[in-house]
Amino acid sequence: DGGITQSPKYLFRKEGQNVTLSCEQNLNHDAMYWYRQDPGQGLRLIYYSQIVNDFQKGDIAEGYSVSREKKESFPLTVTSAQKNPTAFYLCASSTRSGTSARETQYFGPGTRLLVL
Amino acid sequence: GESVGLHLPTLSVQEGDNSIINCAYSNSASDYFIWYKQESGKGPQFIIDIRSNMDKRQGQRVTVLLNKTVKHLSLQIAATQPGDSAVYFCAAKGGSNYKLTFGKGTLLTVNP
């Protein structure tokens, strides 16, 4: 089955600790995205990548880092600099990275990050 | 910048009724719109999309209407079922901008 997988489903972070959320897709999509979802708010873009070895900051990148070494993978690290990390994190991917393309973004199942 | 809002945060309907969920957007250059369904604890699921050169698009039990004059779109669900209970939100993509702007969502509750 083609799709987007995220792991783990739940993740606990201790104060001062960096944690990494995994996102893998086998859809052969060029572009990948990370969003944060908080109760009562719309999805907010953290980082996105249009092509391997390239990524850009979204609206709320502070305290987060990413890498894109492979087309299939786009891991997100929540660093200790992110003071309010508790949220539901969603990874998405889309077919084309051109700025004029009307690409649909497809989402993974999400990772819920909780702070101990 | 773009903002996307939903008219009602919650909607309660009886099983078998038709549901209408509304969404407004601010950027007149937006040219692509998507409706997503999100069940509790899960990732958003694509329902239907529409491009700005269309006014209406139909899927299985769902219809999306786009009114560019007033920058409004709606999702209609026919014969609503308990399995349709979820949060629904719209997203808009503005012109040459890659970025999707998401609304906050409407919680649809279907009563048996």
Side-chain angles (χ1 to χ4, degrees):
Chain A
D1 285 338
I4 303 173
T5 57
Q6 291 186 242
S7 63
K9 186 172 182 178
Y10 296 96
L11 186 58
F12 299 90
R13 193 191 90 164
K14 296 179 181 179
E15 192 171 338
Q17 184 183 39
N18 293 350
V19 293
T20 297
L21 285 61
S22 169
C23 178
E24 303 278 333
Q25 55 96 1
N26 61 2
L27 301 169
N28 199 32
H29 286 175
D30 292 307
M32 298 185 75
Y33 312 80
W34 273 106
Y35 291 92
R36 170 178 172 143
Q37 187 174 38
D38 294 281
Q41 296 196 36
L43 300 182
R44 292 185 289 168
L45 183 65
I46 304 173
Y47 268 98
Y48 70 100
S49 168
Q50 296 186 5
I51 196 169
V52 174
N53 293 322
D54 186 50
F55 49 83
Q56 287 78 39
K57 294 181 178 180
D59 299 321
I60 56 165
E62 185 175 351
Y64 300 97
S65 65
V66 294
S67 63
R68 186 87 187 276
E69 297 178 1
K70 298 187 299 181
K71 186 175 184 178
E72 302 79 17
S73 179
F74 191 40
L76 173 73
T77 296
V78 183
T79 75
S80 57
Q82 172 50 245
K83 298 306 179 187
N84 184 24
T86 297
F88 192 47
Y89 290 87
L90 289 160
C91 178
S93 68
S94 62
T95 54
R96 288 157 62 181
S97 57
T99 56
S100 61
R102 299 184 182 96
E103 61 265 34
T104 301
Q105 293 185 21
Y106 295 92
F107 287 85
T111 292
R112 188 165 298 281
L113 177 61
L114 300 166
V115 177
L116 295 176
Chain B
E2 170 82 87
S3 68
V4 176
L6 282 149
H7 292 186
L8 288 174
T10 62
L11 177 65
S12 183
V13 300
Q14 291 298 121
E15 182 177 358
D17 288 352
N18 296 334
S19 303
I20 300 176
I21 301 171
N22 296 302
C23 187
Y25 62 97
S26 63
N27 186 356
S28 57
S30 294
D31 62 353
Y32 179 56
F33 307 87
I34 309 172
W35 279 100
Y36 289 96
K37 172 186 179 182
Q38 187 175 25
E39 297 177 41
S40 181
K42 296 184 178 180
Q45 175 187 357
F46 170 85
I47 300 173
I48 192 169
D49 59 358
I50 189 168
R51 301 177 181 179
S52 58
N53 61 354
M54 303 172 69
D55 297 324
K56 178 180 179 179
R57 190 164 187 224
Q58 289 183 290
Q60 187 177 11
R61 284 202 303 120
V62 295
T63 301
V64 55
L65 299 177
L66 176 63
N67 185 330
K68 295 180 287 295
T69 303
V70 295
K71 298 198 282 289
H72 178 273
L73 70 158
S74 65
L75 176 70
Q76 300 179 4
I77 305 174
T80 314
Q81 303 168 0
D84 294 327
S85 294
V87 173
Y88 291 81
F89 54 89
C90 61
K93 186 172 182 289
S96 60
N97 190 339
Y98 71 92
K99 184 180 172 183
L100 283 179
T101 301
F102 294 85
K104 295 181 181 180
T106 291
L107 174 62
L108 175 66
T109 302
V110 182
N111 302 308

